[in-house]
Amino acid sequence: MKMREKSRENHSGSQALAGHRKALFLTILALAWPTLLEQMLQTLVQYIDAAMVGRIGAEATATVGMSTSVTWLVNGPLFAMGIGFMAFISREMGAEAFDNVKRASVQAVIVTVVTGIGVGVLTLAVSPILPTWMGVDPAIKKDASLYFAIICLPMLFRSAIIIFGALLRAVGDTKTPMYVNVCMNLVNIVLNYLFIYDTRMIKIGGASVKMFGFGYGAVGAGIGTAVSFVVGGIFMTIALYKNRYVSPAGCEIRPEREIMEPCIRVGFPVAMERMATCLGHVVFASLVTGLGTVAFAAHSIALTVEQAFYIPGYGMQAAAATLAGNAIGAKDQKRLHELTRMLIVIILVIMTVSGALLFFMAPQLLQLFTKESDVIALGTVVLRMVAVSEPLFGVLIILEGIFNGVGDTVKPFYYALFSMWCVRVLGTFFCVKVFHLGLYAVWGCMIANNVCLGSLFILRYLRGGWNPLNKEKSRK
């Protein structure tokens, strides 16, 4: 009789555990799918941009490609402050300190304006000399400079998109940023058709229709992108003011050191990490430009293709940061442990599948952007090289989100600094300038960077030093 009762207890316990895990999985899914779809749409637009520009030729692709790495650098401080506020707000939401959430939103408005204007002025100032720094072909310097200036002109709106979007995700609203990005993407696509190509005849069904176009080429793609940033910034601001948790409506907009300090304490190392790694990307890209226009076009298009296969990781990263912050705020060690393990298992499975798809579909994906056989041949090899490291990179992305969510940003900064500059940049310098190797060696250095950083992140996760609840327990 006692054995039967014990068996029933064990059975009910296992059912409760399974139910708990299912609920946690559904929570992750509910938060992740809008961000996942948002990332897919953003990547789709990048694909469309690259495909439209790629039809013009390798020079146009290189013109747009020059700004890619610099854009990561420019966006670094904006994303960093978004992460700082996300970590603070998600923790306060977990502790149900809703007044602090609203106060943090007010500080975010101040930071958005200051960083948006400051970064905008700086980028416009360097746009005339940036192509020279990047070592691009003299034939595309003028267009490359103009393209970069145009996309940086609405920096205040870009700041609102990034920081206000982070605030909304921190309180569990991942759908609104998705809707805003859908709108931005549609605007971008429509304007690209108008600004990139000349007036031409297109076929709709069986009829030929005259399609008006300005014929600005790569610069036209920049105009479409800039206008979409303005639209997205306006809509994201409206969404912020409508959200009941983070709306700053009716609040006095003034700095509060008590709130600003912890957000900056988390965000500043992330800003330094983003700037250091993105600056590394810029140096890295400038080294690749020395390999010639064809190699740089293959490099730029391959990066665009590869981004689609990071979508699952970055789609789940915001959910990882929000839920980890909530668990810390609620001081729920068990939930945090289960959450991190589940996220890692999910991303390993997904990224293994996506890596396999990237490996086998590389030539077909490259053909979407260019018809130049030399570019496709180069791109196919490097994409197949990087496909093998996709699962590890997925774990890296998730762990970065967890560390950001709990406010552990200092050590990851040192790791990123080391792997970028000592592995990727230094390795690429020796491969290109000393040993005169080609694009394959360059991507080998890039993969080595990801492997090094992923290994360091996993080691930190296993040691547990990232978890504030472990530190509180040791003090007791």
Side-chain angles (χ1 to χ4, degrees):
M1 190 73 176
K2 288 182 180 180
M3 289 186 67
R4 286 181 183 176
E5 288 177 0
K6 189 172 182 180
S7 176
R8 285 173 189 164
E9 286 176 5
N10 290 337
H11 181 66
S12 61
S14 62
Q15 281 186 323
L17 181 61
H20 175 71
R21 287 177 177 170
K22 182 180 178 182
L24 185 58
F25 175 78
L26 292 175
T27 301
I28 293 170
L29 186 63
L31 281 176
W33 80 260
T35 309
L36 183 64
L37 184 57
E38 179 186 340
Q39 292 283 337
M40 288 176 65
L41 291 169
Q42 287 178 350
T43 304
L44 178 62
V45 170
Q46 289 175 354
Y47 269 38
I48 293 170
D49 274 356
M52 287 178 169
V53 174
R55 299 297 173 184
I56 304 171
E59 285 190 354
T61 300
T63 297
V64 175
M66 182 217 71
S67 70
T68 302
S69 298
V70 187
T71 299
W72 294 340
L73 174 62
V74 168
N75 286 342
L78 308 181
F79 278 114
M81 291 316 304
I83 289 168
F85 284 109
M86 175 183 276
F88 181 87
I89 289 173
S90 61
R91 183 179 297 194
E92 296 303 306
M93 285 292 291
E96 299 185 353
F98 301 120
D99 182 57
N100 285 344
V101 170
K102 194 171 284 285
R103 290 167 64 194
S105 178
V106 172
Q107 304 309 296
V109 171
I110 297 171
V111 169
T112 298
V113 173
V114 171
T115 55
I117 294 174
V119 175
V121 170
L122 181 62
T123 50
L124 288 174
V126 302
S127 61
I129 52 177
L130 182 64
T132 303
W133 288 353
M134 295 291 291
V136 300
D137 192 313
I140 66 171
K141 276 186 178 181
K142 183 179 177 181
D143 281 353
S145 173
L146 187 55
Y147 176 87
F148 182 71
I150 290 169
I151 65 171
C152 290
L153 192 61
M155 190 59 65
L156 179 60
F157 297 93
R158 285 169 68 173
S159 182
I161 293 167
I162 293 169
I163 297 177
F164 293 167
L167 265 61
L168 292 170
R169 294 184 188 96
V171 297
D173 180 8
T174 53
K175 291 182 181 178
T176 301
M178 177 193 71
Y179 295 142
V180 171
N181 274 279
V182 168
C183 182
M184 284 175 56
N185 294 339
L186 291 174
V187 170
N188 194 14
I189 292 169
V190 171
L191 293 181
N192 276 352
Y193 274 106
L194 289 174
F195 286 109
I196 293 176
Y197 304 113
D198 291 311
T199 300
R200 62 210 180 276
M201 299 301 294
I202 60 172
K203 287 188 176 181
I204 302 177
S208 294
V209 179
K210 188 176 183 179
M211 180 70 181
F212 175 77
F214 289 96
Y216 292 156
V219 173
I223 295 172
T225 300
V227 175
S228 70
F229 283 147
V230 173
V231 172
I234 292 170
F235 285 173
M236 197 72 83
T237 303
I238 293 171
L240 180 79
Y241 273 80
K242 285 188 173 182
N243 186 282
R244 66 191 181 104
Y245 292 114
V246 290
S247 173
C251 300
E252 183 183 355
I253 306 296
R254 62 180 180 82
E256 282 191 71
R257 185 173 180 178
E258 180 187 355
I259 303 296
M260 191 77 82
E261 272 192 359
C263 295
I264 292 177
R265 196 180 305 120
V266 171
F268 183 75
V270 178
M272 292 298 98
E273 180 263 321
R274 293 290 174 101
M275 291 176 69
T277 55
C278 290
L279 186 58
H281 281 295
V282 173
V283 176
F284 176 72
S286 68
L287 290 169
V288 180
T289 58
L291 299 177
T293 301
V294 171
F296 190 62
H299 172 75
S300 299
I301 293 173
L303 283 177
T304 301
V305 171
E306 187 195 13
Q307 284 176 9
F309 294 84
Y310 293 163
I311 288 173
Y314 285 114
M316 293 175 63
Q317 189 183 60
T322 300
L323 292 172
N326 290 163
I328 293 296
K331 300 189 184 301
D332 192 338
Q333 179 80 281
K334 182 180 178 183
R335 182 177 177 82
L336 181 63
H337 179 67
E338 292 176 349
L339 168 73
T340 53
R341 281 181 28 172
M342 185 174 289
L343 283 164
I344 290 169
V345 170
I346 292 170
I347 203 61
L348 273 173
V349 173
I350 294 175
M351 295 295 278
T352 299
V353 174
S354 70
L357 291 173
L358 178 61
F359 186 91
F360 291 109
M361 295 176 61
Q364 292 79 10
L365 290 167
L366 289 162
Q367 287 169 13
L368 296 173
F369 307 104
T370 181
K371 296 300 180 185
E372 297 185 26
S373 57
D374 291 346
V375 174
I376 293 171
L378 272 173
T380 298
V381 176
V382 297
L383 283 177
R384 285 178 170 167
M385 288 169 60
V386 80
V388 179
S389 67
E390 291 292 288
L392 178 62
F393 191 71
V395 174
L396 187 163
I397 294 169
I398 291 299
L399 290 179
E400 181 182 44
I402 292 167
F403 296 161
N404 288 339
V406 303
D408 180 55
T409 55
V410 177
K411 286 286 180 66
F413 160 60
Y414 295 138
Y415 297 160
L417 193 66
F418 170 78
S419 62
M420 171 56 72
W421 287 92
C422 296
V423 178
R424 181 183 293 201
V425 175
L426 190 61
T428 302
F429 175 82
F430 277 106
C431 286
V432 174
K433 299 295 184 181
V434 178
F435 300 110
H436 307 290
L437 301 175
L439 192 63
Y440 303 151
V442 168
W443 274 62
C445 294
M446 189 173 76
I447 294 164
N449 168 37
N450 291 340
V451 171
C452 175
L453 186 57
S455 301
L456 289 171
F457 272 30
I458 290 170
L459 188 61
R460 179 154 185 79
Y461 170 74
L462 293 174
R463 286 179 173 175
W466 57 275
N467 187 350
L469 298 180
N470 286 342
K471 295 173 185 176
E472 290 180 12
K473 187 177 179 181
S474 65
R475 287 193 200 107
K476 292 176 182 178

